[in-house]
Amino acid sequence: MLESIIKYILVPEEEIQGIVARLGEEINRDYADKNLVIVCVLKGSLMFTVDLAKKLNLVSEMEFVRVSTYGNATESSGDMKILLDFERDDISECDLLVIEDIVDSGNTLSRLVKLFKAKGARSVKTCTLLDKPARRKVDFVPDYVGKVIPDEFVFGYGLDLFEKYRDLPYVAVVSDEYLKNLK
Ligand code: PRP
């Protein structure tokens, strides 16, 4: 049962939508005279990307990438493999905004930023719904942050628990009981 998996709801739906609206306003302002290309990092940032994109009143485009980080269920390692990439002839005219659900160690976004800069993007910035700075392993600061959260194992609103519960409209903390059974 879902109730037994949830310790508490960390970011309720209304708060998420408030964050999305605020970030949307900031991005509308900052990208008014740019050539915005939103880069959705699958799968986790799908919900956030879709909601955020609906708040934008700019002409923008979307690209999708998928990466795999090696590690266990709760911790990524430094290695990253690109599973889905995109190619554009006009990359030197693109202002990329890479969208994530969460920054944890920082490995994924720091590597993606390097990759897109190396490909020749005009600018590369990052936007994350959740930031967990306590877990950082590399020196990385996202440009747009929805909410800084404590070092808790969270799921919902794109974030999975063994691939499930991405469809929840809120972000919840995993219960101690569930975590105990993982070990
Ligand atoms: C999660 C999340 C970020 C990354 C953050 O993805 O969506 O992409 O981990 O962790 P990091 O800062 O330590 O790199 P995950 O690998 O779980 O894949 P998913 O998005 O498909 O769930």
Side-chain angles (χ1 to χ4, degrees):
M1 288 296 286
L2 181 57
E3 291 76 38
S4 66
I5 301 174
I6 296 177
K7 186 174 182 181
Y8 61 94
I9 292 179
L10 180 65
V11 200
E13 185 173 5
E14 306 73 49
E15 185 179 351
I16 291 177
Q17 293 311 321
I19 289 168
V20 168
R22 168 178 62 82
L23 291 174
E25 279 175 24
E26 288 177 30
I27 293 163
N28 279 331
R29 188 193 59 215
D30 296 351
Y31 283 82
D33 56 357
K34 294 196 156 63
N35 185 26
L36 175 61
V37 178
I38 293 165
V39 181
C40 172
V41 184
L42 295 169
K43 304 175 188 173
S45 83
L46 179 65
M47 307 283 265
F48 180 44
T49 302
V50 168
D51 282 349
L52 187 62
K54 286 190 277 188
K55 298 288 178 196
L56 302 181
N57 54 24
L58 308 161
V59 176
S60 64
E61 295 184 29
M62 272 193 207
E63 297 289 357
F64 297 85
V65 292
R66 196 172 163 216
V67 302
S68 80
T69 44
Y70 300 97
N72 58 34
T74 59
E75 191 165 16
S76 73
S77 69
D79 299 325
M80 189 178 88
K81 189 175 168 193
I82 308 281
L83 303 175
L84 173 69
D85 201 357
F86 67 90
E87 295 293 335
R88 299 182 63 117
D89 292 338
D90 66 344
I91 190 82
S92 62
E93 290 149 35
C94 293
D95 296 302
L96 304 186
L97 182 59
V98 189
I99 312 287
E100 267 289 22
D101 50 336
I102 190 163
V103 180
D104 203 287
S105 69
N107 282 322
T108 305
L109 271 188
S110 64
R111 283 170 178 241
L112 282 177
V113 168
K114 273 187 206 136
L115 176 75
F116 295 142
K117 283 187 175 164
K119 282 185 174 200
R122 182 162 64 190
S123 70
V124 185
K125 288 198 171 187
T126 58
C127 175
T128 186
L129 174 67
L130 305 173
D131 189 8
K132 222 192 250 187
R135 303 264 298 183
R136 211 63 106 245
K137 286 190 180 153
V138 292
D139 187 17
F140 178 79
V141 180
D143 297 291
Y144 299 90
V145 174
K147 187 181 174 80
V148 174
I149 62 166
D151 186 11
E152 299 267 24
F153 187 0
V154 292
F155 71 109
Y157 196 70
L159 292 106
D160 72 306
L161 203 50
F162 295 101
E163 292 300 325
K164 297 195 169 54
Y165 304 115
R166 293 189 196 271
D167 54 337
L168 297 178
Y170 50 80
V171 174
V173 174
V174 177
S175 69
D176 296 334
E177 189 192 1
Y178 186 89
L179 281 178
K180 206 162 54 191
N181 290 331
L182 280 184
K183 287 166 189 163

